[in-house]
Amino acid sequence: MLNRDKHKIPFRLKVHRAKNTPYFRFFDNIISRIKPPKKFKGIPKKVLLIRNDKIGDAMVTLPVMRTIKYNYPDIKIDVLVSDRNEFLFKNFSYVDELIKFSPEGWDTDKLRNRIYKFFFIGHILQFIRFFLIPYFFNKKFKQDIKSLKTRNYDAVVDLVGSRRNIVLSRMISKFTVGSKVFGLFWLYSYYIKTNWVTTINEDFMSRKIGNAMSEALNLDLSQKNKSLPLLNFEFHKEENIKTDIIIHLGGSVYRKFPYEKERELIKSLSDYRLIITDAGNTEGFRNLKEEFKNFSNIQFKLYNFITDMLEDVAGARLFLCYDGGQAHFISQYIKSIVIFGSGSLPLWKPYEFEDYQAIERSPAGAVAYKSKGQFGHVAIHYPIWCNPCFDIGCETRPCLGNISIEFVKSVVDKTFNANA
């Protein structure tokens, strides 16, 4: 049940949520009748996946790619990757060819000018600045697109859903697949019934992607390889457990507890052998390191790259983190507890091919869900009406505020004891 405690949310979020109201869906339905989705005729031989975004997005795509190759080993699957996620696909044996495509401005997280964040207008400005202008005035940009077109893909699957990728996919192939991007989905040959991320998600993103490709490309993906990990990086594996819990504090501001609450979390778990890490040497990380410097069982450690964590992960019992790329990557190797704030739990809870069930509820209404899969991952979430908020955020952040440290500790203790 969603919590209905009303609070002030930004106008931009109100507009995002309005797109799922009957009024807006009415216009989408008219467009759908004029140009309904069309499936690919036959089975494609050569497919390009556009996945030039983040680590977490890449990770949830890997099970689908493996399943396709498991059922159709002769289908050639190429992937358009970004600087950020290229390392994942490089170590994935179910990719035929990688094509790195990370032009200026295509990593939206690095756009600091707030005008690019404005609803609709910001998206149009991004399209003009980082697609139209380079296409007409940057020879290399235009040549890169032309080179993609000459590869003669039977189908292009746009797994991102930005205006740039919609147009890019149309330039590359006659048959394109994507989500129901508001007002623009008719540009695809085949589109699913919703956008990739919406306020009405009820299932894993991996399953959503798999169902979309199965329907659009006439693929029978009923036979699955459910083994983990998905990626077999080489690293030294400890024979003995040296760490009880690795706590990763990295994440955007709308996915993280405030500093005071992170300090309370570490203090509550200070009887365990801990490694505390973060995405970078932030002020909060430095302050926490100073505050707990006299605890011999707590180690503060930063890693140059996420794969550098694997040796310590191999010698630990639990991984505790916020929703994000680190959760999707590390959870393929170790039992994980993931705290959700602004993100959609149904879509992004760690995927290990089995469903989750509620196991514990706090007095404030936060819920812990446990996977029935191999590791038995746990996701902690406060179900509230404004979630997901697409990292737009709000001032009060009740999604995280209603997850108490006492509740997190209770879930950690029970998970750790069961795992031990």
Side-chain angles (χ1 to χ4, degrees):
M1 177 181 292
L2 292 179
N3 295 286
R4 297 289 176 182
D5 44 332
K6 293 292 182 178
H7 61 283
K8 184 179 180 181
I9 63 174
F11 174 76
R12 182 177 163 212
L13 178 53
K14 291 180 180 178
V15 175
H16 269 277
R17 296 188 63 81
K19 291 190 293 184
N20 291 301
T21 61
Y23 178 79
F24 280 86
R25 288 201 300 267
F26 173 76
F27 292 100
D28 273 355
N29 291 337
I30 292 177
I31 296 173
S32 297
R33 290 175 184 173
I34 297 172
K35 190 179 183 300
K38 295 181 179 180
K39 295 183 179 182
F40 188 85
K41 294 181 179 179
I43 303 294
K45 296 180 179 179
K46 190 175 181 181
V47 178
L48 175 69
L49 305 185
I50 296 181
R51 189 79 277 180
N52 52 351
D53 44 6
K54 304 176 185 178
I55 292 175
D57 300 281
M59 284 300 308
V60 298
T61 310
L62 300 185
V64 182
M65 296 173 61
R66 184 174 68 178
T67 298
I68 293 174
K69 282 289 192 178
Y70 188 70
N71 289 275
Y72 300 91
D74 293 331
I75 292 181
K76 187 177 188 294
I77 301 178
D78 294 351
V79 186
L80 200 69
V81 300
S82 67
D83 289 324
R84 264 201 278 187
N85 66 26
E86 181 185 17
F87 77 100
L88 296 173
F89 294 105
K90 272 186 174 180
N91 290 274
F92 192 55
S93 58
Y94 301 93
V95 178
D96 288 287
E97 189 172 351
L98 291 184
I99 306 163
K100 187 160 70 172
F101 193 78
S102 290
E104 179 192 357
W106 283 53
D107 187 342
T108 55
D109 285 353
K110 295 181 180 180
L111 296 178
R112 300 305 175 201
N113 194 327
R114 293 185 63 184
I115 194 171
Y116 292 126
K117 304 296 182 181
F118 291 162
F119 175 72
F120 189 67
I121 295 175
H123 292 160
I124 292 176
L125 290 176
Q126 285 185 45
F127 180 74
I128 294 172
R129 172 64 181 83
F130 301 113
F131 190 98
L132 283 185
I133 293 178
Y135 185 76
F136 288 108
F137 299 101
N138 186 319
K139 289 183 178 180
K140 183 180 184 307
F141 182 86
K142 190 171 184 177
Q143 183 58 42
D144 287 343
I145 295 176
K146 184 178 180 180
S147 176
L148 288 168
K149 187 176 181 179
T150 59
R151 290 172 175 265
N152 297 317
Y153 290 105
D154 295 321
V156 173
V157 183
D158 174 19
L159 297 169
V160 182
S162 67
R163 285 161 177 78
R164 281 165 280 181
N165 280 324
I166 293 173
V167 176
L168 177 65
S169 63
R170 290 269 297 187
M171 289 180 167
I172 297 172
S173 175
K174 293 180 180 179
F175 187 88
T176 59
V177 181
S179 64
K180 206 167 187 178
V181 179
F182 178 69
L184 295 173
F185 61 88
W186 56 272
L187 290 170
Y188 295 118
S189 306
Y190 182 92
Y191 50 86
I192 62 175
K193 295 179 180 179
T194 70
N195 202 343
W196 290 121
V197 180
T198 72
T199 58
I200 56 175
N201 292 125
E202 296 179 351
D203 204 353
F204 295 99
M205 176 60 88
S206 296
R207 288 184 186 168
K208 193 170 187 176
I209 294 171
N211 291 338
M213 295 185 66
S214 176
E215 294 168 5
L217 306 178
N218 298 303
L219 304 177
D220 180 1
L221 304 181
S222 56
Q223 300 297 318
K224 300 184 186 300
N225 177 352
K226 297 184 178 182
S227 63
L228 290 172
L230 292 159
L231 297 165
N232 292 296
F233 285 93
E234 293 185 3
F235 57 94
H236 174 70
K237 296 181 180 179
E238 294 286 347
E239 295 183 1
N240 300 314
I241 297 297
K242 292 185 176 181
T243 306
D244 294 323
I245 308 170
I246 298 177
I247 302 178
H248 194 299
L249 299 176
S252 68
V253 64
Y254 299 118
R255 301 188 185 194
K256 285 169 57 73
F257 288 145
Y259 171 79
E260 294 76 13
K261 204 166 180 177
E262 289 187 336
R263 179 179 59 192
E264 185 185 352
L265 173 65
I266 296 172
K267 187 174 181 180
S268 73
L269 300 175
S270 59
D271 289 338
Y272 291 103
R273 294 171 296 174
L274 304 178
I275 290 180
I276 312 296
T277 189
D278 205 328
N281 192 20
T282 64
E283 181 181 358
F285 181 81
R286 294 193 300 271
N287 290 339
L288 289 169
K289 183 178 180 180
E290 176 65 23
E291 188 149 350
F292 291 94
K293 64 181 180 181
N294 295 324
F295 286 73
S296 60
N297 61 316
I298 302 179
Q299 180 183 3
F300 283 78
K301 187 173 182 180
L302 292 175
Y303 304 88
N304 292 326
F305 208 60
I306 193 168
T307 52
D308 296 338
M309 294 181 60
L310 293 179
E311 186 172 325
D312 286 328
V313 166
R317 292 198 185 276
L318 286 178
F319 182 67
L320 175 63
C321 66
Y322 300 115
D323 169 40
Q326 68 279 355
H328 297 286
F329 180 76
I330 298 297
S331 65
Q332 63 180 315
Y333 301 100
I334 186 175
K335 191 166 192 170
S336 301
I337 300 175
V338 182
I339 299 170
F340 280 79
S342 62
S344 170
L345 178 135
L347 274 183
W348 300 110
K349 53 189 183 292
Y351 184 58
E352 49 176 341
F353 309 98
E354 301 294 341
D355 292 327
Y356 280 62
Q357 64 181 5
I359 58 170
E360 189 171 353
R361 184 180 296 270
S362 76
V367 184
Y369 302 87
K370 183 179 179 180
S371 167
K372 298 177 183 178
Q374 172 184 333
F375 287 112
H377 299 312
V378 177
I380 300 175
H381 172 59
Y382 179 71
I384 189 169
W385 64 274
C386 57
N387 176 273
C389 73
F390 313 98
D391 276 348
I392 295 172
C394 67
E395 293 182 4
T396 54
R397 283 186 278 166
C399 55
L400 286 168
N402 284 289
I403 299 175
S404 68
I405 295 303
E406 292 79 11
F407 184 59
V408 175
K409 176 172 169 50
S410 172
V411 172
V412 169
D413 288 342
K414 292 175 182 177
T415 305
F416 181 85
N417 292 331
N419 197 42

